[in-house]
């Protein structure tokens, strides 16, 4: 039987084959007989809290929630999140997986041949796959621990649903850490006694009142505060507006240390100090040297509150390696003029100085070092624990710095099994391998099972992963080095993805299950993120489109296949759970915050907790370090860490140090071959890959339908490139196309492509089916086609996406014909079968 005949046979059998026509989502809705009504409802998302008007069962208008005074313009993309041509319409299974199951030809993954199946069929296949993995490999064969930025909402949190349901089937490999702050959250507990990155920080009002200087180090809060972990109400923007006024009046000096001109710098009208990418530690050492040389450092604070300055000093002064970390030395590496380094030492010690660190600087090789060295600088300045002084690692994130209301937040749908519940497959035997691996090392594990690596003072042995399950995360966005991922995925027997859209992760999966968006279900969430200003009713706007289901419903049905539905839901439906989460929160706040009955709350759409009190981070420690010690081994700030020193790592010593990178621009290793540093910062107009699917909004920034690549004018001119050209960006790991935007904000030797650009590989003939090939060209501009997949160091083993060199040229077209391939990223697999 040839393939066509076989497919015909399949078509007449139980599961139909579809030629997916791109039917407009709006007409699909009409066909589903959506309810006719016309009202404003409340809801929220990472992008903001909103009021949404639905008309005839369709979302017609979106406006900000009354308490959001600074809405993000991403509000204009919200409608397109629901009605977009990349939505998954029904469960689908990769053709060869449907035919051969775990013996399928995995080199076909990514060739976009999918078959439509019923929910029952899909969930049964899913369960059978899990049975096979648990039987053949045990729990070390399954990784279901990868997490991500699933939609907001405490009930429908997709990661919780997937992990609880899969956990009822059997045990699996999990992760430790995250991509955001992997290096930072691992090193800082040794130095400052807590991860710091997700801790509430000194309140903005105290910073505005007390700081004389604010140093924004690798930090772009004006861009990054647009989204929040919960339903965001953007209160931090009020303080940024005040800061702008103070900068204008000369009351606060703000210095942005960044290779590029950031959105924040432009908004505040503040100063920039350009630094060569990845060289901040050298710059910091130069500043520290100057402080010591000029006797500017606070010896009393160092003595009373820290440990190990005397072990660090010989390194700084060059006693052990013969290199004095002078401003001259630092200037050569960092590109910052000697006079500027000297001035920084003076300015930072002259008056109250608040250091505000961004996170990007630690998503690079040796990303632990700048965080450690910045803490040392702050210690030398001596203002940790004072209002408007010291160091923060989070003021660009989720309203950190906006005083918290102090109310209890609602609980969430449980991620773990209830007490006494046991999985169907109960084995906890990981066959000598680790049950938890560093988050960004999973591709390494798939490629080299059994290998033992160092990680944070212990050894990790990679499990033999044969199956992956993803829900609420998009690893074909978030992980580095697509071509290496392709090789790894060929070693997997089964991949299951639950998502709203046909992301690249779905394309490289075997079973694809459609979840509905937040706007198609009821939920509850905090608004104001860290400010925790109140509770928001996230009211269902429209019925789930096509055959999509809520994550709750998907995994309830999956539990039913296992005969565990009641165990899973505890016998409660969506409405019961919402009421329970609300009522529990109400009891926790009893006597402190007034909350109405659930029904009233739901009708009015929110309950407001009110304003919070200002607060200074580390003030208790400063008041009395003996009574309020830090969580470090000594209870003090550890400039030298005996614990880390004893690990004996060559890439993370007992004190912070300048370590050369495997790839570095501006004269560093690899720059003779690929001279350009690519930064893949967080997007101004998306949340990672979320909202890239929102078509009309995407078209407000794309260039020739492609993701923008921001280029320096001199570099672009040298390469014969003008604004609007399609550019091929490449290195030895991969190649992509993107649209040229030329701007002086980007210095020579630096380009930017925002992460989250949907991966859209095409074969050498430009066809999307060829995207399965290793080395395929990305037609849209996903920067992770080019990034390096290495651990930050033996300590954190974290994501190092910013250690990445590339070059670029004007694109000559497919086989130099001048013909541009179509962008293959969107619209799903399209014509699924012949
Ligand atoms: N090169 C480079 N790479 C990076 C970074 C970088 O700076 N540079 N940053 C890293 C960082 S800090 C992060 S946090 C990660 C982000 O990586 P991810 O968190 O994986 O990225 P998202 O695009 O937010 O993926 C969320 C996915 O969940 C889906 N989703 C949304 N709501 C729901 C739902 O209700 N149910 C289900 N089932 N699915 C849903 C979305 O459609 C989307 O596909 O990327 C990392 N990768
Ligand atoms: N709009 C929007 N906001 C977001 C997100 C989003 O996707 N979109 N994602 C959220 C998430 S999950 C995270 S983790 C945070 C990310 O927060 P961050 O990681 O702090 O954000 P980025 O914008 O990637 O980088 C901040 C700045 O670091 C600079 N930088 C990069 N490398 C270096 C370096 O070597 N030295 C110096 N000095 N500067 C450097 C960049 O030029 C950029 O201006 O943002 C959150 N906020
Ligand atoms: Mo992140």
């Amino acid at each position: 039987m040839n393939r066509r005949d076989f497919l015909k046979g399949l078509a007449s059998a139980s599961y139909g084959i579809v030629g997916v026509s791109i039917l407009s989502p709006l007409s699909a809705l009409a066909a589903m007989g959506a309810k006719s009504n016309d009202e404003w409802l409340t809801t929220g998302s990472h992008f903001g809290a909103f009021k949404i008007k639905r008309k005839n069962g369709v979302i017609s208008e979106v406006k900000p929630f009354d308490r959001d005074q600074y809405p993000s313009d991403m509000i204009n993309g919200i409608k397109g999140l629901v009605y977009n041509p990349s939505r998954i319409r029904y469960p689908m299974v990769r053709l060869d997986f449907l035919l051969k199951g775990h013996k399928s030809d995995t080199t076909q993954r990514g060739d976009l041949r999918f078959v439509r199946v019923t929910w029952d069929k899909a969930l049964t296949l899913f369960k059978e796959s899990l049975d096979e993995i648990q039987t053949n490999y045990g729990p070390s064969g399954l990784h279901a621990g990868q997490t991500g930025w699933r939609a907001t909402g405490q009930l429908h949190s997709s990661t919780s649903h997937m992990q609880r349901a899969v956990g009822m089937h059997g045990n699996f490999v999990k992760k430790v850490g995250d991509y955001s702050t992997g290096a930072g959250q691992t090193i800082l507990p040794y130095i400052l006694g807590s991860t710091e990155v997700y801790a509430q920080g000194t309140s903005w009002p105290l910073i505005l009142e007390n700081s004389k200087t604010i140093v924004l180090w690798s930090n772009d809060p004006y861009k990054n505060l647009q989204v929040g972990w919960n339903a965001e109400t953007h209160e931090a923007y009020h303080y940024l507006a005040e800061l702008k006024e103070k900068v204008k009046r000369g009351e606060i000096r703000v210095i942005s240390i960044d290779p590029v001109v950031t959105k924040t710098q432009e908004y505040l009208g503040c100063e920039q100090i350009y630094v060569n990418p990845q060289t901040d530690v050298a710059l910091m050492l130069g500043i520290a040297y100057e402080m010591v040389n000029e006797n500017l450092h606070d010896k009393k604070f160092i003595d009373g509150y820290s440990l190990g300055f005397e072990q660090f000093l010989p390194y700084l002064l060059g006693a052990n390696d013969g290199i004095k970390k002078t401003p001259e030395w630092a200037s050569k590496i960092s590109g910052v003029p000697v006079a500027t380094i000297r001035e920084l030492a003076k300015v930072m010690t002259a008056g109250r100085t608040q250091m505000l660190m961004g996170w990007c600087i630690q998503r690079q090789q040796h990303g632990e070092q700048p965080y450690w060295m910045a803490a040392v600088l702050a210690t030398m300045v001596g203002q940790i624990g004072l209002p408007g002084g010291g160091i923060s690692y989070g003021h660009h994130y989720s309203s950190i710095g906006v005083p918290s209301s102090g109310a209890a937040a609602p609980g969430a749908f449980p991620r773990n099994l209830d007490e006494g519940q046991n999985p169907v497959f109960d084995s906890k035997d990981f066959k000598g391998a680790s049950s938890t691996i560093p988050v960004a090392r999973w591709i390494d594990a798939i490629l080299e099972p059994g290998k033992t690596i160092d990680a944070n003072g212990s050894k990790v042995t990679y499990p033999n992963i044969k199956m992956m399950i993803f829900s609420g995360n998009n690893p074909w966005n978030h992980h580095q080095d697509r071509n290496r991922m392709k090789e790894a995925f060929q070693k997997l027997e089964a991949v299951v993805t639950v998502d709203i859209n046909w992301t690249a992760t779905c394309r490289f999966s075997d079973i694809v299950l459609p979840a509905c968006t937040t706007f198609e279900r009821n939920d509850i969430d905090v608004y104001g993120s860290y400010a925790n200003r109140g509770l928001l009713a996230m009211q269902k706007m429209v019925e789930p489109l096509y055959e999509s289901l809520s994550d709750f419903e998907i995994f309830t049905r999956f539990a039913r296949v296992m005969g565990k539905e009641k165990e899973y839901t505890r016998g409660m439906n969506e409405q019961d759970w919402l009421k329970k989460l609300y009522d529990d929160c109400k009891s926790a706040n009893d006597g402190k915050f007034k909350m109405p009955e659930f029904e009233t709350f739901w009708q009015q759409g929110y309950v407001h907790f009110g304003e919070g009190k200002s607060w200074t981070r580390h003030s208790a420690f400063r008041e009395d370090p003996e009574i309020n010690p830090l969580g470090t081994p000594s209870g003090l700030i550890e400039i030298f860490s005996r614990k880390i020193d004893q690990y004996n790592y060559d890439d993370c010593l007992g004190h912070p140090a300048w370590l050369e990178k495997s790839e570095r621009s501006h004269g560093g290793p690899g720059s003779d071959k690929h001279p350009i540093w690519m930064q893949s910062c967080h997007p101004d107009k998306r949340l990672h890959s979320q909202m890239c699917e929102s078509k009309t909004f995407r078209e407000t920034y794309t260039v020739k339908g492609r993701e923008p690549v921001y280029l320096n004018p001199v570099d672009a001119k040298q390469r014969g490139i003008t604004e609007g050209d399609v550019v091929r960006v490449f290195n030895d790991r991969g190649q992509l196309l993107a649209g040229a935007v030329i701007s002086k904000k980007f210095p020579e030797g630096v380009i930017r492509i925002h992460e989250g650009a949907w991966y859209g590989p095409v074969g050498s003939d430009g066809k999307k089916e060829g995207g399965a090939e290793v080395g395929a060209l990305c037609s849209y501009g996903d920067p992770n086609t080019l990034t390096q997949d290495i651990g930050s160091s033996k300590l954190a083993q974290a994501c190092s996406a910013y250690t990445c060199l590339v070059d670029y040229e004007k694109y000559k077209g497919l086989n130099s014909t001048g013909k541009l391939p179509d962008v293959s990223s969107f619209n799903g697999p399209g014509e699924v079968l012949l």
Side-chain angles (χ1 to χ4, degrees):
M1 209 185 319
N2 66 27
R3 188 166 144 255
R4 209 187 158 86
D5 286 345
F6 177 81
L7 293 174
K8 269 196 197 152
L10 255 187
S12 56
S14 54
Y15 11 95
I17 292 170
V18 281
V20 174
S21 59
I22 303 296
L23 139 102
S24 133
L26 284 166
S27 60
L29 233 196
M32 289 168 60
K35 272 186 252 134
S36 157
N37 43 21
D38 186 347
E39 56 188 321
W40 285 97
L41 295 171
T42 318
T43 190
S45 70
H46 296 299
F47 309 98
F50 314 119
K51 291 274 196 189
I52 291 191
K53 186 176 189 173
R54 75 172 166 203
K55 207 168 179 178
N56 299 325
V58 175
I59 295 174
S60 73
E61 270 176 77
V62 185
K63 68 177 184 189
F65 182 55
D66 308 339
R67 294 191 176 275
D68 187 353
Q69 302 299 308
Y70 298 88
S72 160
D73 82 332
M74 285 188 252
I75 196 168
N76 299 314
I78 294 296
K79 245 166 95 173
L81 288 183
V82 180
Y83 307 119
N84 85 72
S86 303
R87 287 281 304 246
I88 309 169
R89 287 142 205 258
Y90 13 73
M92 292 189 119
V93 178
R94 186 170 65 82
L95 173 65
D96 207 52
F97 186 83
L98 191 61
L99 304 178
K100 304 198 197 103
H102 285 225
K103 304 251 163 355
S104 79
D105 174 2
T106 56
T107 63
Q108 291 181 18
R109 265 209 199 97
D111 75 2
L112 298 178
R113 283 183 287 161
F114 281 88
V115 179
R116 177 182 183 171
V117 299
T118 63
W119 268 107
D120 280 351
K121 175 76 187 171
L123 292 175
T124 306
L125 278 177
F126 182 4
K127 180 188 168 280
E128 286 168 0
S129 234
L130 286 174
D131 290 346
E132 195 163 337
I133 291 290
Q134 293 287 354
T135 308
N136 293 343
Y137 305 100
S140 68
L142 175 66
H143 189 345
Q146 206 72 359
T147 60
W149 273 74
R150 87 290 182 278
T152 50
Q154 297 304 314
L155 173 56
H156 285 286
S157 168
S158 47
T159 318
S160 301
H161 283 284
M162 184 272 276
Q163 292 192 341
R164 179 170 166 90
V166 171
M168 286 186 165
H169 181 275
N171 297 308
F172 54 84
V173 175
K174 296 190 175 140
K175 59 96 187 184
V176 59
D178 58 38
Y179 284 74
S180 312
T181 63
Q185 66 176 265
T186 308
I187 188 84
L188 289 176
Y190 293 95
I191 313 310
L192 292 170
S194 100
T195 60
E196 295 293 312
V197 286
Y198 302 128
Q200 181 55 296
T202 299
S203 306
W204 276 112
L206 293 175
I207 295 178
L208 290 166
E209 209 176 296
N210 296 289
S211 302
K212 284 282 156 275
T213 304
I214 295 176
V215 181
L216 290 168
W217 210 309
S218 171
N219 201 349
D220 196 356
Y222 197 72
K223 166 169 74 66
N224 288 342
L225 287 166
Q226 290 179 90
V227 301
W229 182 247
N230 299 98
E232 191 49 66
T233 41
H234 302 113
E235 290 187 50
Y237 283 86
H238 170 69
Y239 301 112
L240 289 178
E242 276 187 35
L243 181 57
K244 182 185 167 85
E245 287 308 308
K246 286 188 177 268
V247 170
K248 207 189 277 168
R249 293 199 296 268
E251 291 167 17
I252 298 182
R253 183 173 178 187
V254 181
I255 303 169
S256 166
I257 304 183
D258 203 301
V260 313
V261 174
T262 64
K263 200 175 175 184
T264 309
Q265 188 202 329
E266 282 198 308
Y267 171 75
L268 294 176
C270 70
E271 300 161 51
Q272 179 202 12
I273 292 179
Y274 163 85
V275 58
N276 283 337
Q278 306 192 83
T279 66
D280 299 83
V281 173
L283 170 59
M284 291 173 187
L285 286 165
I287 298 170
Y289 189 97
E290 178 71 6
M291 284 180 184
V292 171
N293 213 30
E294 293 294 314
N295 214 8
L296 300 169
H297 55 311
D298 186 335
K299 286 161 288 289
K300 222 171 123 201
F301 187 81
I302 294 172
D303 281 351
Y305 295 89
S306 77
L307 198 79
F309 190 65
E310 59 286 0
Q311 278 114 315
F312 168 70
L313 207 53
Y315 169 75
L316 187 68
L317 302 179
N320 37 18
D321 62 0
I323 302 169
K324 289 183 182 163
K325 313 301 178 298
T326 59
E328 288 76 12
W329 169 85
S331 175
K332 272 197 200 104
I333 298 170
S334 67
V336 179
V338 173
T340 308
I341 299 176
R342 296 217 161 103
E343 198 202 336
L344 270 172
K346 259 188 216 92
V347 170
M348 289 175 71
T349 47
R352 195 63 61 80
T353 299
Q354 178 72 57
M355 293 170 71
L356 300 178
M357 308 297 296
W359 292 346
C360 205
I361 201 179
Q362 51 85 62
R363 283 197 298 281
Q364 48 182 256
Q365 196 185 14
H366 314 130
E368 298 87 353
Q369 302 306 311
Y371 267 30
W372 194 349
M373 190 54 213
V376 173
L377 271 187
T379 307
M380 293 173 74
V381 172
Q383 299 173 3
I384 290 175
L386 291 178
I391 188 160
S392 153
Y393 296 89
H395 273 76
H396 61 292
Y397 179 70
S398 286
S399 293
I400 283 180
V402 180
S404 298
S405 66
F413 187 81
R415 180 177 292 206
N416 298 318
L417 305 199
D418 295 342
E419 213 164 289
Q421 288 177 348
N422 293 316
V424 182
F425 287 81
D426 210 1
S427 168
K428 291 183 186 68
D429 180 8
F430 283 76
K431 307 202 160 114
S434 304
S435 59
T436 302
I437 60 175
V439 66
R441 303 272 56 84
W442 60 289
I443 291 291
D444 287 0
I446 297 170
L447 287 169
E448 292 190 86
K451 183 179 170 181
T452 297
I453 61 157
D454 286 302
N456 202 15
S458 357
K459 299 279 178 193
V460 166
T461 299
Y462 290 142
N464 187 17
I465 300 168
K466 289 294 177 190
M467 179 172 181
M468 298 279 322
I469 306 173
F470 304 109
S471 182
N473 58 74
N474 185 4
W476 285 76
N477 160 53
H478 71 226
H479 197 68
Q480 287 57 63
D481 197 343
R482 294 286 167 261
N483 288 309
R484 192 159 180 265
M485 286 180 78
K486 273 186 199 166
E487 281 168 23
F489 268 54
Q490 292 179 4
K491 293 188 72 182
L492 295 173
E493 292 179 11
V495 183
V496 179
T497 297
V498 189
D499 206 298
I500 299 160
N501 301 306
W502 269 103
T503 59
T505 302
C506 295
R507 291 162 167 234
F508 286 86
S509 298
D510 300 313
I511 301 176
V512 176
L513 304 174
C516 65
T517 68
T518 296
F519 309 106
E520 296 152 80
R521 59 198 187 199
N522 293 302
D523 215 322
I524 179 178
D525 202 12
V526 158
Y527 65 85
S529 295
Y530 274 66
N532 188 12
R533 277 286 179 264
L535 279 190
L536 198 68
M538 298 169 65
Q539 299 166 339
K540 187 202 249 189
M541 301 294 153
V542 293
E543 292 302 318
L545 292 199
Y546 313 106
E547 287 186 13
S548 69
L549 299 171
S550 71
D551 291 276
F552 186 170
E553 178 64 21
I554 292 171
F555 285 101
T556 299
R557 291 191 190 189
F558 179 74
R560 196 179 300 154
V561 177
M562 294 187 291
K564 284 177 174 280
E565 176 175 356
K566 218 165 170 178
E567 253 183 66
Y568 181 73
T569 62
R570 296 186 187 159
M572 295 193 286
N573 64 20
E574 183 188 73
Q575 206 59 27
D576 301 334
W577 270 101
L578 286 176
K579 188 161 173 351
K580 179 192 157 41
L581 295 180
Y582 182 86
D583 287 345
D584 288 353
C585 180
K586 186 169 183 290
S587 319
N589 281 317
D590 203 21
K592 285 171 271 173
F593 294 88
K594 227 173 126 41
M595 289 171 66
E597 291 306 313
F598 177 73
E599 287 70 21
T600 313
F601 155 71
W602 195 259
Q603 224 160 31
Q604 70 191 33
Y606 68 95
V607 45
H608 192 59
F609 291 144
E611 311 297 305
K613 280 203 201 80
S614 280
W615 176 80
T616 301
R617 180 140 194 86
H618 296 129
S619 60
F621 167 66
R622 188 176 186 103
E623 251 158 52
D624 194 329
E626 265 173 51
I627 294 177
N628 309 305
L630 299 178
T632 54
S634 61
L636 300 170
I637 301 165
E638 300 214 349
I639 293 175
F640 179 88
S641 164
R642 223 155 62 107
K643 239 174 140 180
I644 295 180
D645 189 56
Q646 281 167 352
Y647 298 157
N648 234 339
Y649 296 155
D650 54 358
D651 51 7
C652 189
L653 315 176
H655 56 77
W658 160 248
L659 303 166
E660 188 51 277
K661 316 293 166 223
S662 65
E663 290 182 13
R664 186 169 67 77
S665 57
H666 301 85
S671 60
D672 40 355
K673 184 164 186 202
H674 296 116
I676 308 287
W677 179 66
M678 182 188 73
Q679 57 164 225
S680 44
C681 290
H682 285 228
D684 188 24
K685 299 202 178 290
R686 287 192 297 261
L687 169 61
H688 317 300
S689 72
Q690 298 187 63
M691 199 160 273
C692 200
E693 68 270 27
S694 188
K695 188 165 175 290
T696 39
F697 190 64
R698 182 176 74 242
E699 286 164 358
T700 62
Y701 61 83
T702 48
V703 178
K704 297 225 165 75
R706 286 158 229 266
E707 180 71 10
V709 54
Y710 298 91
L711 307 172
N712 168 266
V714 176
D715 289 340
K717 193 165 176 212
Q718 223 175 52
R719 290 165 175 78
I721 292 164
T722 52
E723 182 96 5
D725 280 347
V726 172
V727 171
R728 188 178 80 98
V729 189
F730 58 92
N731 59 21
D732 292 340
R733 290 180 288 272
Q735 48 170 347
L736 62 80
L737 300 183
V741 176
I742 299 175
S743 161
K744 280 195 195 133
K745 289 182 217 166
F746 296 85
E748 283 180 54
V750 171
I751 65 168
R752 173 185 291 194
I753 307 178
H754 287 127
E755 58 102 11
W758 278 32
Y759 184 54
V762 290
S764 47
D765 54 0
K767 298 239 167 76
K768 61 186 177 188
E769 294 75 13
E773 286 162 26
V774 175
L777 175 73
C778 174
S779 59
Y780 180 71
D782 168 12
N784 278 323
T785 311
L786 303 168
T787 48
Q788 198 177 187
D789 184 13
I790 55 164
S792 55
S793 81
K794 297 187 177 80
L795 192 85
Q797 294 288 1
C799 159
S800 308
Y802 291 76
T803 299
C804 176
L805 293 187
V806 301
D807 204 347
Y808 61 92
E809 61 181 18
K810 190 167 165 167
Y811 184 51
K812 300 186 195 75
L814 285 164
N815 307 310
S816 303
T817 57
K819 194 175 166 299
L820 293 174
D822 291 338
V823 170
S824 78
S825 313
F826 306 102
N827 308 335
E831 282 287 317
V832 173
L833 288 174
L834 310 168

